[in-house]
Coordinates of all heavy atoms in Angstrom, one line a residue:
G19 N 165.3 78.0 161.5 CA 166.5 78.4 162.0 C 166.6 79.9 162.3 O 167.6 80.4 162.7
M20 N 165.5 80.6 162.1 CA 165.5 82.0 162.3 C 165.3 82.3 163.8 O 164.5 81.6 164.5 CB 164.3 82.6 161.5 CG 164.3 84.1 161.5 SD 162.8 84.8 160.6 CE 163.3 84.3 158.9
S21 N 166.0 83.3 164.3 CA 165.7 83.7 165.7 C 164.3 84.3 165.9 O 163.7 84.7 164.9 CB 166.8 84.7 166.2 OG 166.5 86.0 165.6
S22 N 163.8 84.2 167.1 CA 162.5 84.8 167.4 C 162.4 86.3 167.0 O 161.4 86.8 166.5 CB 162.0 84.5 168.8 OG 162.9 85.0 169.7
D23 N 163.5 87.0 167.3 CA 163.5 88.4 167.0 C 163.4 88.7 165.5 O 162.7 89.5 165.1 CB 164.8 89.1 167.5 CG 164.8 89.2 169.1 OD1 163.7 89.2 169.7 OD2 165.9 89.4 169.6
K24 N 164.1 87.9 164.7 CA 164.1 88.0 163.3 C 162.7 87.6 162.7 O 162.2 88.2 161.8 CB 165.1 87.2 162.6 CG 166.6 87.7 162.8 CD 166.8 88.8 161.9 CE 168.3 89.2 162.0 NZ 168.6 90.5 161.4
A25 N 162.1 86.6 163.3 CA 160.8 86.1 162.9 C 159.7 87.2 163.2 O 158.9 87.5 162.3 CB 160.4 84.8 163.6
I26 N 159.8 87.8 164.3 CA 158.9 88.9 164.7 C 159.1 90.1 163.7 O 158.1 90.7 163.2 CB 159.0 89.3 166.2 CG1 158.6 88.2 167.1 CG2 158.3 90.6 166.4 CD1 158.9 88.4 168.5
E27 N 160.3 90.4 163.4 CA 160.6 91.5 162.5 C 160.0 91.2 161.1 O 159.4 92.1 160.5 CB 162.1 91.7 162.4 CG 162.5 92.8 161.5 CD 164.1 93.0 161.5 OE1 164.7 92.8 162.5 OE2 164.6 93.3 160.4
A28 N 160.1 89.9 160.7 CA 159.6 89.6 159.3 C 158.1 89.7 159.3 O 157.5 90.1 158.3 CB 160.1 88.1 159.0
I29 N 157.4 89.3 160.4 CA 156.0 89.4 160.4 C 155.6 90.8 160.4 O 154.6 91.2 159.7 CB 155.4 88.7 161.7 CG1 155.6 87.2 161.6 CG2 154.0 89.0 162.0 CD1 155.4 86.4 162.9
E30 N 156.3 91.7 161.1 CA 155.9 93.1 161.2 C 156.1 93.7 159.8 O 155.3 94.5 159.3 CB 156.8 93.8 162.2 CG 156.3 93.5 163.6 CD 157.2 94.0 164.7 OE1 158.3 94.6 164.4 OE2 156.9 93.9 165.9
L31 N 157.2 93.3 159.1 CA 157.4 93.8 157.7 C 156.3 93.4 156.7 O 156.0 94.2 155.8 CB 158.8 93.3 157.2 CG 160.0 94.0 157.8 CD1 161.3 93.3 157.3 CD2 160.1 95.5 157.5
L32 N 155.7 92.3 156.9 CA 154.6 91.9 156.1 C 153.3 92.7 156.3 O 152.4 92.7 155.5 CB 154.3 90.4 156.3 CG 155.4 89.4 155.8 CD1 155.0 88.0 156.2 CD2 155.5 89.5 154.3
G33 N 153.2 93.3 157.5 CA 152.0 94.1 157.8 C 150.8 93.2 158.1 O 149.7 93.7 157.9
L34 N 151.0 92.0 158.4 CA 149.9 91.1 158.7 C 149.4 91.3 160.2 O 150.3 91.4 161.1 CB 150.3 89.6 158.5 CG 150.7 89.2 157.1 CD1 151.2 87.8 157.1 CD2 149.5 89.4 156.1
P35 N 148.1 91.2 160.4 CA 147.7 91.3 161.8 C 148.1 90.0 162.6 O 148.1 88.9 162.0 CB 146.2 91.4 161.7 CG 145.8 90.8 160.3 CD 147.0 91.0 159.5
V36 N 148.4 90.2 163.8 CA 148.7 89.1 164.7 C 147.6 89.1 165.7 O 147.2 90.1 166.4 CB 150.0 89.3 165.4 CG1 150.3 88.2 166.4 CG2 151.1 89.4 164.4
V37 N 146.9 87.9 165.9 CA 145.8 87.8 166.8 C 146.1 86.8 167.9 O 146.8 85.8 167.6 CB 144.5 87.4 166.1 CG1 144.1 88.5 165.1 CG2 144.6 86.1 165.3
S38 N 145.5 86.9 169.0 CA 145.6 86.0 170.1 C 144.8 84.8 169.8 O 143.7 84.8 169.2 CB 145.2 86.6 171.4 OG 146.0 87.7 171.7
F39 N 145.3 83.6 170.2 CA 144.5 82.4 170.1 C 143.7 82.2 171.4 O 144.3 82.0 172.4 CB 145.6 81.2 169.9 CG 144.9 79.9 169.5 CD1 144.3 79.7 168.3 CD2 145.0 78.8 170.4 CE1 143.8 78.5 167.9 CE2 144.5 77.6 170.0 CZ 143.9 77.4 168.8
N40 N 142.4 82.2 171.2 CA 141.6 82.2 172.4 C 141.0 80.8 172.7 O 141.2 79.9 171.9 CB 140.5 83.3 172.3 CG 139.5 83.1 171.2 OD1 139.2 82.0 170.9 ND2 139.1 84.2 170.6
R41 N 140.3 80.8 173.8 CA 139.7 79.5 174.2 C 138.7 78.9 173.2 O 138.7 77.7 172.9 CB 139.0 79.6 175.6 CG 138.4 78.3 176.1 CD 137.7 78.5 177.4 NE 137.1 77.2 177.7 CZ 137.6 76.4 178.7 NH1 138.7 76.8 179.4 NH2 137.0 75.3 179.0
D42 N 137.9 79.8 172.6 CA 136.9 79.3 171.6 C 137.6 78.7 170.4 O 137.2 77.6 169.9 CB 136.0 80.4 171.2 CG 135.0 80.9 172.2 OD1 134.8 80.1 173.2 OD2 134.5 82.0 172.1
Q43 N 138.7 79.3 170.0 CA 139.5 78.8 168.8 C 140.2 77.5 169.2 O 140.2 76.6 168.4 CB 140.4 79.8 168.3 CG 139.7 81.0 167.7 CD 140.6 82.3 167.7 OE1 141.6 82.3 168.3 NE2 140.1 83.3 167.0
A44 N 140.6 77.4 170.4 CA 141.3 76.2 170.9 C 140.3 75.0 170.9 O 140.6 73.9 170.5 CB 141.9 76.4 172.3
E45 N 139.1 75.3 171.4 CA 138.1 74.3 171.4 C 137.7 73.8 170.0 O 137.5 72.7 169.7 CB 136.8 74.7 172.2 CG 137.1 74.8 173.7 CD 136.0 75.4 174.5 OE1 134.9 75.8 173.9 OE2 136.1 75.5 175.7
L46 N 137.6 74.8 169.1 CA 137.3 74.5 167.7 C 138.5 73.6 167.1 O 138.2 72.7 166.4 CB 137.1 75.8 166.9 CG 136.7 75.6 165.4 CD1 135.5 74.7 165.2 CD2 136.5 77.0 164.8
A47 N 139.7 74.0 167.4 CA 140.8 73.2 166.9 C 140.8 71.7 167.4 O 141.1 70.8 166.7 CB 142.2 73.8 167.3
I48 N 140.3 71.6 168.6 CA 140.1 70.2 169.2 C 139.1 69.5 168.4 O 139.3 68.3 168.1 CB 139.7 70.3 170.7 CG1 140.9 70.8 171.5 CG2 139.3 68.9 171.2 CD1 140.5 71.2 172.9
T49 N 138.0 70.1 168.1 CA 136.9 69.4 167.3 C 137.4 69.1 165.9 O 136.8 68.1 165.3 CB 135.6 70.2 167.3 OG1 135.8 71.4 166.5 CG2 135.1 70.6 168.7
L50 N 138.3 69.8 165.4 CA 138.8 69.5 164.0 C 139.7 68.3 164.0 O 139.9 67.7 162.9 CB 139.6 70.7 163.5 CG 138.8 72.0 163.1 CD1 139.7 73.1 162.8 CD2 137.8 71.7 162.0
R51 N 140.2 67.8 165.1 CA 141.0 66.7 165.2 C 140.4 65.4 164.5 O 141.1 64.8 163.7 CB 141.4 66.4 166.6 CG 142.2 65.1 166.8 CD 143.7 65.3 166.9 NE 144.4 64.2 167.4 CZ 145.0 63.3 166.7 NH1 144.9 63.4 165.4 NH2 145.6 62.3 167.2
R52 N 139.2 65.2 164.9 CA 138.5 63.9 164.4 C 138.5 64.0 162.8 O 138.8 63.0 162.2 CB 137.2 63.8 164.9 CG 136.4 62.6 164.4 CD 135.1 62.3 165.1 NE 135.4 61.8 166.4 CZ 134.6 61.8 167.4 NH1 133.4 62.4 167.3 NH2 135.0 61.4 168.6
G53 N 138.1 65.1 162.2 CA 137.9 65.1 160.8 C 139.2 65.3 160.0 O 139.2 65.2 158.8
T54 N 140.3 65.6 160.7 CA 141.5 65.9 160.0 C 142.7 64.9 160.3 O 143.8 65.0 159.8 CB 142.0 67.3 160.2 OG1 142.3 67.5 161.6 CG2 141.0 68.4 159.8
R55 N 142.4 64.0 161.2 CA 143.4 63.1 161.7 C 144.1 62.3 160.6 O 145.3 62.2 160.5 CB 142.8 62.2 162.7 CG 143.8 61.2 163.4 CD 143.1 60.2 164.3 NE 141.8 60.7 164.7 CZ 141.1 60.4 165.8 NH1 141.7 59.7 166.6 NH2 139.9 60.9 166.0
D56 N 143.3 61.8 159.7 CA 143.8 61.0 158.6 C 144.7 61.8 157.6 O 145.5 61.3 156.9 CB 142.7 60.3 157.9 CG 142.0 59.2 158.7 OD1 142.7 58.8 159.7 OD2 140.9 58.8 158.4
A57 N 144.4 63.1 157.6 CA 145.2 64.0 156.7 C 146.5 64.4 157.3 O 147.3 65.1 156.6 CB 144.3 65.2 156.3
G58 N 146.7 64.1 158.5 CA 148.0 64.4 159.2 C 148.2 65.8 159.6 O 149.3 66.3 159.8
L59 N 147.1 66.5 159.8 CA 147.2 67.9 160.3 C 147.8 68.0 161.7 O 147.4 67.3 162.6 CB 145.9 68.6 160.2 CG 145.6 69.3 158.8 CD1 145.5 68.3 157.7 CD2 144.3 70.1 158.9
S60 N 148.6 69.0 161.9 CA 149.2 69.3 163.2 C 148.3 70.2 164.0 O 147.3 70.7 163.5 CB 150.6 69.9 163.0 OG 150.4 71.3 162.5
L61 N 148.6 70.3 165.3 CA 147.9 71.3 166.1 C 147.9 72.7 165.5 O 147.0 73.4 165.5 CB 148.4 71.3 167.5 CG 147.8 72.3 168.5 CD1 146.3 72.1 168.6 CD2 148.5 72.3 169.8
G62 N 149.1 73.1 165.0 CA 149.3 74.4 164.4 C 148.4 74.5 163.1 O 147.8 75.6 162.9
D63 N 148.3 73.5 162.3 CA 147.4 73.5 161.2 C 146.0 73.7 161.6 O 145.2 74.6 161.1 CB 147.5 72.2 160.4 CG 148.8 71.9 159.7 OD1 149.6 72.9 159.4 OD2 149.1 70.7 159.5
R64 N 145.6 72.9 162.6 CA 144.2 73.1 163.1 C 143.9 74.4 163.7 O 142.8 74.9 163.6 CB 143.9 71.9 164.0 CG 143.8 70.6 163.3 CD 143.4 69.4 164.1 NE 144.5 68.9 164.9 CZ 144.7 68.9 166.2 NH1 143.7 69.3 166.9 NH2 145.8 68.5 166.7
A65 N 144.9 75.0 164.4 CA 144.8 76.3 165.0 C 144.5 77.4 163.9 O 143.7 78.2 164.0 CB 146.0 76.7 165.8
C66 N 145.3 77.2 162.8 CA 145.1 78.2 161.6 C 143.7 78.0 161.1 O 143.0 79.0 160.8 CB 146.1 77.9 160.5 SG 147.8 78.4 161.0
L67 N 143.2 76.8 160.9 CA 141.9 76.6 160.3 C 140.8 77.1 161.3 O 139.9 77.7 160.9 CB 141.7 75.1 160.1 CG 142.5 74.5 158.9 CD1 142.5 73.0 158.9 CD2 142.0 75.0 157.6
A68 N 141.0 76.9 162.6 CA 140.1 77.3 163.6 C 140.0 78.8 163.6 O 138.9 79.4 163.7 CB 140.4 76.8 165.0
L69 N 141.1 79.5 163.4 CA 141.1 81.0 163.4 C 140.3 81.4 162.1 O 139.5 82.3 162.2 CB 142.5 81.5 163.3 CG 142.6 83.0 163.1 CD1 142.0 83.8 164.3 CD2 144.1 83.4 163.0
G70 N 140.6 80.8 161.0 CA 139.9 81.2 159.8 C 138.4 81.0 159.9 O 137.6 81.8 159.5
M71 N 138.0 79.9 160.5 CA 136.6 79.6 160.7 C 136.0 80.6 161.6 O 134.9 81.1 161.3 CB 136.4 78.2 161.2 CG 136.9 77.1 160.2 SD 136.9 75.5 160.9 CE 135.2 75.0 160.8
S72 N 136.6 80.9 162.7 CA 136.0 81.8 163.7 C 136.0 83.3 163.2 O 135.1 84.0 163.5 CB 136.8 81.8 165.0 OG 138.1 82.3 164.9
E73 N 136.9 83.6 162.3 CA 136.9 85.0 161.7 C 136.2 85.1 160.4 O 136.1 86.1 159.8 CB 138.4 85.4 161.5 CG 139.2 85.6 162.8 CD 138.7 86.8 163.7 OE1 138.5 87.8 163.1 OE2 138.6 86.6 164.9
K74 N 135.7 83.9 160.0 CA 135.0 83.8 158.6 C 135.9 84.4 157.5 O 135.5 85.2 156.7 CB 133.7 84.5 158.7 CG 132.7 83.9 159.6 CD 131.4 84.6 159.6 CE 130.4 84.0 160.6 NZ 130.7 83.1 161.6
A75 N 137.2 83.9 157.6 CA 138.2 84.4 156.7 C 138.7 83.2 155.8 O 138.6 82.0 156.2 CB 139.4 85.0 157.5
T76 N 139.4 83.5 154.7 CA 140.0 82.5 153.9 C 141.4 82.2 154.5 O 142.1 83.1 155.0 CB 140.3 83.1 152.5 OG1 139.0 83.4 151.9 CG2 141.0 82.1 151.6
V77 N 141.7 80.9 154.6 CA 143.0 80.5 155.1 C 143.9 80.3 153.9 O 143.4 79.8 152.8 CB 142.9 79.2 156.0 CG1 142.1 79.4 157.3 CG2 142.3 78.0 155.2
V78 N 145.1 80.6 154.0 CA 146.1 80.5 153.0 C 147.2 79.5 153.4 O 147.7 79.6 154.5 CB 146.7 81.9 152.7 CG1 147.7 81.9 151.6 CG2 145.6 82.9 152.4
T79 N 147.5 78.6 152.5 CA 148.5 77.6 152.8 C 149.2 77.0 151.5 O 148.6 77.2 150.4 CB 147.8 76.4 153.5 OG1 148.8 75.4 153.9 CG2 146.7 75.7 152.6
A80 N 150.3 76.4 151.7 CA 151.0 75.7 150.6 C 150.7 74.2 150.8 O 151.1 73.4 149.9 CB 152.5 76.0 150.7
D81 N 150.0 73.8 151.8 CA 149.7 72.4 152.0 C 148.4 72.0 151.3 O 147.3 72.3 151.7 CB 149.5 72.2 153.5 CG 149.5 70.7 153.9 OD1 149.3 69.9 153.0 OD2 149.6 70.4 155.1
R82 N 148.6 71.3 150.2 CA 147.5 70.9 149.3 C 146.4 70.1 150.0 O 145.2 70.2 149.6 CB 148.0 70.2 148.1 CG 148.8 71.0 147.2 CD 148.9 70.4 145.8 NE 149.7 71.3 144.9 CZ 149.1 72.3 144.3 NH1 147.9 72.6 144.4 NH2 149.9 73.1 143.5
V83 N 146.7 69.3 151.0 CA 145.7 68.5 151.7 C 144.6 69.3 152.3 O 143.5 68.9 152.4 CB 146.4 67.5 152.7 CG1 146.8 68.3 153.9 CG2 145.5 66.4 153.0
W84 N 144.9 70.6 152.7 CA 143.9 71.4 153.3 C 142.7 71.6 152.3 O 141.6 71.7 152.7 CB 144.5 72.8 153.7 CG 145.4 72.8 154.9 CD1 146.1 71.8 155.4 CD2 145.7 73.9 155.7 NE1 146.8 72.2 156.5 CE2 146.6 73.5 156.6 CE3 145.3 75.2 155.6 CZ2 147.1 74.4 157.6 CZ3 145.8 76.1 156.6 CH2 146.7 75.7 157.6
S85 N 143.1 71.7 151.0 CA 142.0 72.0 150.1 C 141.1 70.8 149.8 O 140.1 70.9 149.2 CB 142.6 72.5 148.8 OG 143.4 71.5 148.1
T86 N 141.5 69.6 150.3 CA 140.8 68.4 150.1 C 139.8 68.1 151.2 O 139.0 67.2 151.1 CB 141.7 67.2 149.9 OG1 142.4 66.9 151.1 CG2 142.7 67.4 148.7
L87 N 140.0 68.9 152.3 CA 139.1 68.6 153.5 C 137.8 69.3 153.3 O 137.7 70.4 152.7 CB 139.9 69.2 154.7 CG 141.2 68.6 155.0 CD1 141.9 69.4 156.1 CD2 141.1 67.2 155.4
E88 N 136.8 68.7 153.8 CA 135.4 69.3 153.8 C 135.2 70.1 155.0 O 134.6 69.6 156.0 CB 134.4 68.2 153.5 CG 134.5 67.6 152.2 CD 133.4 66.6 151.8 OE1 132.3 66.8 152.4 OE2 133.6 65.7 151.0
L89 N 135.7 71.3 155.0 CA 135.5 72.2 156.2 C 134.8 73.5 155.8 O 134.7 73.8 154.6 CB 136.9 72.6 156.7 CG 137.8 71.4 157.2 CD1 139.2 71.9 157.5 CD2 137.2 70.7 158.4
E90 N 134.2 74.1 156.8 CA 133.5 75.3 156.5 C 134.4 76.6 156.6 O 134.1 77.5 157.3 CB 132.3 75.5 157.5 CG 131.3 74.3 157.4 CD 130.2 74.5 158.4 OE1 130.0 75.6 158.9 OE2 129.5 73.4 158.6
V91 N 135.4 76.5 155.7 CA 136.4 77.6 155.6 C 137.0 77.6 154.2 O 137.4 76.5 153.8 CB 137.4 77.6 156.7 CG1 138.3 76.3 156.6 CG2 138.3 78.8 156.7
P92 N 137.0 78.7 153.5 CA 137.7 78.7 152.2 C 139.2 78.5 152.4 O 139.8 79.1 153.3 CB 137.3 80.1 151.6 CG 136.3 80.7 152.5 CD 136.4 80.0 153.8
V93 N 139.8 77.7 151.5 CA 141.2 77.5 151.5 C 141.8 78.0 150.2 O 141.3 77.6 149.1 CB 141.5 76.0 151.7 CG1 143.0 75.7 151.6 CG2 141.0 75.5 153.0
Q94 N 142.8 78.8 150.3 CA 143.5 79.3 149.1 C 144.9 78.8 149.1 O 145.7 79.0 150.0 CB 143.6 80.8 149.1 CG 144.3 81.4 147.9 CD 144.3 82.9 147.9 OE1 143.5 83.6 148.5 NE2 145.2 83.5 147.1
L95 N 145.3 78.1 148.0 CA 146.7 77.5 147.9 C 147.6 78.6 147.3 O 147.2 79.3 146.4 CB 146.6 76.3 147.0 CG 145.9 75.1 147.5 CD1 145.8 74.0 146.5 CD2 146.5 74.6 148.8
I96 N 148.8 78.7 147.9 CA 149.7 79.7 147.4 C 150.7 79.1 146.3 O 151.5 79.8 145.8 CB 150.5 80.3 148.5 CG1 151.3 79.3 149.3 CG2 149.6 81.1 149.4 CD1 152.2 79.9 150.3
R97 N 150.6 77.8 146.1 CA 151.4 77.2 145.0 C 150.8 76.0 144.5 O 150.0 75.4 145.0 CB 152.9 77.0 145.4 CG 153.1 76.1 146.6 CD 154.5 76.0 147.0 NE 154.6 75.6 148.4 CZ 155.5 74.8 148.8 NH1 156.4 74.3 148.1 NH2 155.5 74.5 150.1

């Protein structure tokens, strides 16, 4: 329910980097569909995972199912 202006402000306050979603990451997200379909991951979920994989970074989530997937990306649960 937050306005886009407020959301952008909140992201800026966190000091987190914002990166563009590129074609390579989009293609990787597509390939993740087959292995994550049964877990109910959304396109947004797969986009986050694809970014983590392409950047060789840990992905952070509150969605426990991510930690059960056998993917080549470390997953850190926040709760």
Side-chain angles (χ1 to χ4, degrees):
M20 184 183 293
S21 72
S22 57
D23 289 340
K24 290 282 187 189
I26 291 168
E27 184 180 323
I29 291 169
E30 289 173 350
L31 286 172
L32 290 172
L34 298 173
V36 176
V37 297
S38 298
F39 190 66
N40 63 37
R41 182 183 176 104
D42 290 340
Q43 293 158 349
E45 290 175 358
L46 183 52
I48 291 167
T49 65
L50 291 173
R51 173 97 167 96
R52 178 172 288 158
T54 63
R55 182 182 345 206
D56 292 340
L59 270 64
S60 68
L61 174 59
D63 293 336
R64 289 183 280 117
C66 289
L67 290 165
L69 175 62
M71 294 169 84
S72 68
E73 296 290 316
K74 297 182 180 14
T76 299
V77 295
V78 180
T79 183
D81 191 344
R82 291 196 178 278
V83 74
W84 288 22
S85 65
T86 67
L87 301 171
E88 293 187 24
L89 300 173
E90 295 180 20
V91 62
V93 174
Q94 180 179 343
L95 295 174
I96 58 172
R97 56 181 160 143

